[in-house]
Amino acid sequence: ESISAWSGASFANVESNPVSVSGNISQNSEPLTSVEITVPVLSSYAFYGATCIKTVVIAESVTTLSQYSLNGLSALENFVFNASDMNDLTQNNGVLTGVASESKNLKLTVGENAQRIPAYLLCSVEGAEGYLSSVEFAGVSTVKEVGVSAFGRTGKLIELALPKSIENIAVGALRGCYALEDVTLPFVGTSLTK
């Protein structure tokens, strides 16, 4: 309950959020290493700079990740996306900027309730290296769409196997994924990008 309240708290800027100063967020006097976001709208700067968080789970009920809400989670290793109908993010939204800069490897797991991967969800900002290194879809995936630049500039992603449920891959969904060697498209099979 306290995490839900924090997730919806309103911060005017990064300096108004105490987490961004300390780098820690605790629950019951223990550093929070895993957080499940269940509120429909994750507020701007909500977990900005929380360097202790290693796992973020986006629940089915989440519709909006506001600017800079998960920025600077340098220890992030696992990002579980299960939102059934999330709004697209804007270019250079800062939501996941600076994540996984310590681990250098970010695993995305797309849950069975996710209907689409929103535009710019994991797109690194210009000039920053993206640390997305693996993407897994739930066994019975219902994802129908990959949005514009959803995986843009994710420099460590080597292979991607999209599920059979995919119907649309937006322009630039994989823009700047220069390490990508194998892409499996359900309607084509495996194709090399290099």
Side-chain angles (χ1 to χ4, degrees):
E1 227 178 279
S2 60
I3 291 303
S4 289
W6 184 268
S7 298
S10 180
F11 299 102
N13 55 38
V14 68
E15 291 83 15
S16 65
N17 181 346
V19 172
S20 70
V21 176
S22 71
N24 269 326
I25 185 166
S26 300
Q27 190 170 28
N28 302 324
S29 301
E30 293 293 322
L32 197 62
T33 58
S34 179
V35 62
E36 181 175 11
I37 309 300
T38 58
V39 294
V41 177
L42 180 61
S43 66
S44 294
Y45 307 102
F47 292 95
Y48 189 107
T51 57
C52 55
I53 296 177
K54 293 183 177 191
T55 300
V56 171
V57 177
I58 303 297
E60 184 177 1
S61 56
V62 179
T63 60
T64 304
L65 295 177
S66 300
Q67 284 195 310
Y68 305 106
S69 55
L70 299 170
N71 187 303
L73 275 62
S74 58
L76 191 65
E77 297 170 352
N78 299 297
F79 186 70
V80 180
F81 184 79
N82 207 27
S84 61
D85 191 27
M86 181 177 285
N87 298 319
D88 285 334
L89 282 70
T90 59
Q91 188 172 5
N92 296 322
N93 58 64
V95 171
L96 288 162
T97 301
V99 299
S101 59
E102 286 177 25
S103 70
K104 306 271 193 252
N105 286 299
L106 178 62
K107 176 184 176 183
L108 168 66
T109 303
V110 181
E112 61 187 38
N113 293 322
Q115 298 292 307
R116 57 191 294 273
I117 299 173
Y120 301 102
L121 179 65
L122 288 154
C123 183
S124 295
V125 295
E126 193 72 48
E129 182 177 356
Y131 294 111
L132 179 66
S133 57
S134 73
V135 177
E136 290 183 12
F137 289 86
V140 182
S141 178
T142 57
V143 173
K144 290 180 175 39
E145 177 184 354
V146 179
V148 173
S149 286
F151 300 120
R153 298 189 211 104
T154 50
K156 293 191 73 165
L157 189 61
I158 294 171
E159 63 181 289
L160 179 63
L162 295 172
K164 291 179 179 172
S165 57
I166 290 288
E167 295 174 358
N168 183 40
I169 301 171
V171 173
L174 301 169
R175 178 178 63 113
C177 296
Y178 300 116
L180 203 56
E181 295 175 4
D182 294 312
V183 177
T184 302
L185 304 171
F187 39 85
V188 176
T190 301
S191 64
L192 292 176
T193 59
K194 291 188 177 185

